[in-house]
């Protein structure tokens, strides 16, 4: 399945699941409150399929899969038979109306917890938060290759995803943080990461890299694929050897081999090259030779060909039993909610760029990418999207659930509903705000598609 078709497919699947749960929350509570539901629609526009249940509700799947709605009996939208007026939404007490409106976001919140619970039982595969290279702020703090991050700003981390998320908020705030790490020798060290020194033009989507961290899993190992018969390494090194050090200098990736070979060649004389072969560590003597290739005049070579980079294998997993997975899911939901609300607040105050606001194109691409990574990551993506849907719907913007809840809270305070005129004005304001947000999201989507 191509990326374009895959993105559309997984977007439809994702929105279909989340919208169905959201609207079912409204529907379920409305029915428990005695309100007649006329239509339960997943999608907008002309129904592609529909059926009625015994209560008279029409269940429909519509042509535009970018949302959905539950249409309830309401006297403000048309004449209602006298014998059904008690079952109209507008006739319900304010607390019942609050419960019905709040049920949609609540359903998405519960779905987020459920998805994370399943994900933790399945086990989310990830990469260990081990430093491959440290430059810039990370190097100034004293981080070394092989350091494994254990705690970031008081938050325990077991994967690079958790480490990156834990750095995001303090990086946006330009706040110095303490990071606990375990060195390659097993020592536990606490280092201060001076995030206050981050540049003003920080790329918020690449915060760990901006601080100078390159994770170990991103570095291609220096594994030998072939040895040239006329090269300096002929008869000494073998295909499959993993280079560990050149002339006493540690090698952590393929990109570090050539600079060390050049240094050894300039020094003159032989040097020791350490390799891992069949589980054994060997120290072998080698002397680089000057390249005979005119295009590489003045360069030193060992006469080896390194293997092409491969997709790194996962080396960490988050997995719990059914009982332990539930509190883990609740903790993760709390962290994600805190980070999401914090990001929204920072966008409003200008501390974070509004480019973090994503539209359907970005969401579709993320859905496709997570589906490719496996069921565990797709479950995580769905959980995060479900939580985002709950939070966005609770924003106090007229036309969203949060706007209706705001109306009802005002009604509780003043003792009577808002006037039809005030509510209509609010709807127009809500439509304008929503259109502006959608326009900004589409603009960010377009920017994301342009070459950098």
């Amino acid at each position: 399945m191509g990326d374009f078709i895959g993105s559309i497919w997984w977007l439809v699947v994702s929105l279909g699941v989340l919208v169905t749960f959201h609207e079912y929350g409204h529907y379920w509570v409305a029915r428990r409150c005695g309100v007649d539901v006329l239509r339960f629609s997943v999608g907008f526009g002309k129904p592609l399929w529909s059926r009625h249940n015994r209560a008279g509700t029409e269940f429909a799947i519509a042509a535009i899969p970018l949302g959905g709605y539950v249409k309830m009996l309401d006297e403000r939208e048309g004449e209602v038979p006298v014998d059904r007026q008690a079952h109209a939404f507008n006739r319900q007490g304010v607390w019942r109306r609050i419960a019905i409106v709040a049920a949609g976001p609540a359903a998405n919140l519960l779905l987020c917890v459920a998805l994370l619970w399943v994900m933790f039982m399945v086990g989310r595969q990830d990469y260990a938060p081990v430093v491959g290279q440290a430059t810039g702020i990370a190097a100034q703090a004293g981080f070394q290759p092989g350091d494994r991050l254990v705690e970031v700003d008081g938050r325990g981390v077991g994967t690079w995803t958790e480490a990156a998320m834990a750095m995001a908020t303090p990086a946006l705030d330009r706040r110095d943080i303490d990071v606990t790490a375990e060195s390659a020798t097993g020592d536990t060290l606490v280092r201060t990461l001076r995030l206050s020194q981050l540049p003003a033009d920080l790329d918020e989507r690449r915060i760990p890299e901006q601080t100078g961290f390159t994770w170990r899993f991103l570095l291609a190992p220096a594994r030998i694929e072939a040895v040239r018969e006329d090269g300096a390494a002929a008869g000494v090194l073998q295909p499959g050897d993993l280079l560990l050090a050149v002339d006493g200098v540690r090698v952590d990736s393929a990109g570090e081999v050539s600079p060390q070979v050049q240094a050894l060649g300039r020094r003159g004389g032989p040097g020791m090259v350490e390799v891992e072969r069949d589980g054994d560590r060997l120290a072998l003597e080698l002397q680089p030779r000057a390249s005979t290739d005119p295009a590489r005049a003045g360069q030193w070579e060992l006469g080896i060909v390194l293997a092409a980079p491969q997709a790194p294998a996962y080396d960490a997993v988050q997995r719990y039993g059914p009982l332990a997975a539930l509190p883990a899911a609740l903790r993760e939901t709390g962290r994600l909610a805190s980070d999401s609300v914090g990001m929204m607040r920072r966008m409003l105050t200008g501390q974070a760029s509004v480019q973090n606001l994503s539209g359907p194109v970005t969401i579709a691409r993320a859905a496709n990418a997570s589906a490719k990574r496996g069921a565990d990551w797709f479950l995580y993506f769905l959980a995060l999207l479900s939580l985002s849907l709950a939070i966005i719907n609770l924003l106090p913007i007229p036309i969203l659930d949060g706007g209706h809840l705001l109306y009802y809270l005002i009604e509780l305070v003043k003792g009577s509903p808002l006037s039809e005129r005030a509510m209509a004005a609010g709807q127009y304001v809500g439509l304008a705000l929503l259109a502006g947000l959608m326009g900004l999201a589409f603009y960010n989507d377009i920017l994301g598609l342009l070459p950098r």
Side-chain angles (χ1 to χ4, degrees), residues 22 26 101-102 104-105 393-395 397 399-406:
H22 180 93
H26 292 309
V101 170
N393 267 281
L394 287 174
L395 293 176
I397 298 176
I399 208 174
L400 296 178
D401 292 334
H404 292 290
L405 292 174
L406 178 62

Side-chain angles (χ1 to χ4, degrees), residues 27 30-31 35-40 56-58 70-72:
Y27 170 82
R31 294 298 298 140
V35 175
D36 286 350
V37 178
L38 305 180
R39 174 180 286 180
F40 181 116
T57 302
E58 179 190 9
V70 169
K71 183 178 181 181
M72 296 174 230

Side-chain angles (χ1 to χ4, degrees), residues 231-299:
V236 181
L237 300 181
Q238 299 178 8
D241 287 351
L242 178 65
L243 290 171
L244 302 176
V246 176
D247 201 26
V249 179
R250 175 174 169 166
V251 170
D252 292 300
S253 67
E256 298 176 354
V257 175
S258 182
Q260 300 308 326
V261 171
Q262 304 312 308
L264 175 57
R266 289 192 297 269
R267 180 176 69 78
M272 301 305 294
V273 175
E274 297 179 45
V275 301
E276 181 184 288
R277 180 185 297 169
D278 298 328
D280 298 323
R281 188 177 183 121
L282 306 176
L284 307 169
E285 188 177 77
L286 274 175
Q287 182 170 351
R289 298 176 186 173
S291 176
T292 58
D293 184 352
R296 291 178 50 82
Q299 298 291 306

Side-chain angles (χ1 to χ4, degrees), residues 72-227:
M72 296 174 230
L73 190 67
D74 195 313
E75 291 176 296
R76 295 168 297 182
E77 298 181 4
E79 188 175 346
V80 175
V82 176
D83 62 331
R84 303 308 300 172
Q85 288 179 354
H87 299 276
F89 176 79
N90 64 291
R91 290 289 186 108
Q92 308 306 308
V94 64
W95 284 109
R96 286 194 173 192
R97 281 178 276 140
I98 287 175
I100 293 170
V101 170
N108 281 126
L109 184 61
L110 290 174
L111 178 60
C112 174
V113 175
L115 290 168
L116 290 174
W117 178 62
V118 175
M119 182 204 73
F120 281 129
M121 287 192 295
V122 171
R124 183 178 68 171
Q125 298 186 91
D126 209 333
Y127 300 104
V130 178
V131 179
Q133 293 176 347
T135 58
I137 296 173
Q140 294 170 19
F143 286 98
Q144 301 291 328
D147 286 352
R148 184 189 186 100
L149 275 57
V150 177
E151 188 176 276
V152 177
D153 194 29
R155 181 187 296 189
V157 296
T159 67
W160 79 277
T161 303
E162 291 180 314
M165 293 180 67
M167 289 181 197
T169 297
L172 292 173
D173 295 339
R174 303 300 194 278
R175 176 168 56 84
D176 297 341
I177 60 173
D178 288 334
V179 178
T180 303
E182 186 179 281
S183 70
T185 58
D187 298 323
T188 299
L189 304 168
V190 179
R191 299 187 173 99
T192 300
L193 199 59
R194 305 291 180 185
L195 299 180
S196 57
Q197 299 177 9
L198 285 170
D201 58 345
L202 172 70
D203 185 344
E204 298 164 7
R205 291 163 293 186
R206 299 174 56 251
I207 285 176
E209 292 84 353
Q210 299 283 294
T211 60
F213 285 109
T214 299
W215 304 112
R216 183 180 65 185
F217 76 90
L218 293 174
L219 302 178
R223 190 170 298 280
I224 298 174
E225 183 176 274
V227 180

Side-chain angles (χ1 to χ4, degrees), residues 323-345:
L323 294 180
L326 182 56
L330 291 170
R331 288 193 302 270
E332 185 71 7
T333 300
R335 282 196 291 263
L336 290 174
S338 176
D339 290 344
S340 298
V341 173
M343 179 61 75
M344 288 183 181
R345 178 176 61 81

